[in-house]
Amino acid sequence: MVKPEVREEWSPLRAGSPHLYRFEAPDLFFSRTQGDVSGADLARMFDLVEEFAARAGRRLFWMADISRVGKLSEEVGKLALARDLKPFLRGALIYGGSFHQRLLATMVTKALHVLKPERRTDRVVFCATEAEARAVVEEQRRLQNAAS
């Protein structure tokens, strides 16, 4: 199997934002949060996921590096409840966080499942490293291709 070229060409989420993103064809959207996250930051990430999914003509895997994340504003939680990316995502892989950060993210995912039971949260996977997250993506692709 030919490994895809890994590009490290990060773009700022918005002008003046410390948060970064990149797209890796055919279906990987990466975000790297660096510092506190506002509702506007998360809304922009959601917009980019939708935009890249439309351009790619397929649902994406969202690879989120949370190793440098700060505080999440109250608007982040409200937006996560209000906006459904299910039509645009095959899965979300969260990696790089400390035990405490992963625990907090797991609690948010479980709360979303309780508050919005129609949303599938089983497609959210927590990994220690990007390499582990990539392995999960490859396994998901293999399983989905076998099922086709």
Side-chain angles (χ1 to χ4, degrees):
M1 173 196 285
V2 176
K3 291 194 174 198
E5 178 183 347
V6 177
R7 299 185 147 206
E8 284 290 328
E9 298 169 10
W10 293 91
S11 299
L13 188 60
R14 323 180 261 140
S17 172
H19 310 301
L20 304 171
Y21 76 91
R22 76 175 197 255
F23 179 76
E24 187 177 302
D27 59 0
L28 297 178
F29 174 78
F30 287 83
S31 64
R32 178 177 287 163
T33 52
Q34 300 183 136
D36 296 346
V37 180
S38 69
D41 294 327
L42 187 62
R44 178 69 178 136
M45 287 181 211
F46 284 4
D47 290 344
L48 287 166
V49 166
E50 291 179 10
E51 180 183 320
F52 281 110
R55 283 189 202 172
R58 63 174 59 198
R59 293 175 23 225
L60 309 177
F61 289 101
W62 184 349
M63 308 274 285
D65 177 357
I66 63 166
S67 60
R68 297 178 189 105
V69 71
K71 295 178 185 172
L72 305 178
S73 73
E74 186 177 322
E75 295 86 27
V76 167
K78 290 177 182 176
L79 184 61
L81 284 173
R83 208 154 157 195
D84 185 8
L85 290 182
K86 185 173 33 180
F88 307 99
L89 288 178
R90 291 171 73 182
L93 295 100
I94 301 170
Y95 65 92
S98 67
F99 173 77
H100 183 267
Q101 289 166 323
R102 288 193 309 266
L103 181 64
L104 181 59
T106 299
M107 288 179 1
V108 168
T109 301
K110 288 182 187 282
L112 180 60
H113 180 70
V114 169
L115 296 170
K116 296 280 189 171
E118 69 278 6
R119 297 252 191 105
R120 289 188 61 185
T121 56
D122 61 329
R123 293 185 183 167
V124 178
V125 179
F126 298 94
C127 302
T129 65
E130 180 181 334
E132 184 181 329
R134 284 181 179 275
V136 170
V137 166
E138 287 305 315
E139 178 66 10
Q140 288 299 311
R141 286 177 177 150
R142 187 187 68 70
L143 290 172
Q144 290 169 5
N145 288 340
S148 303

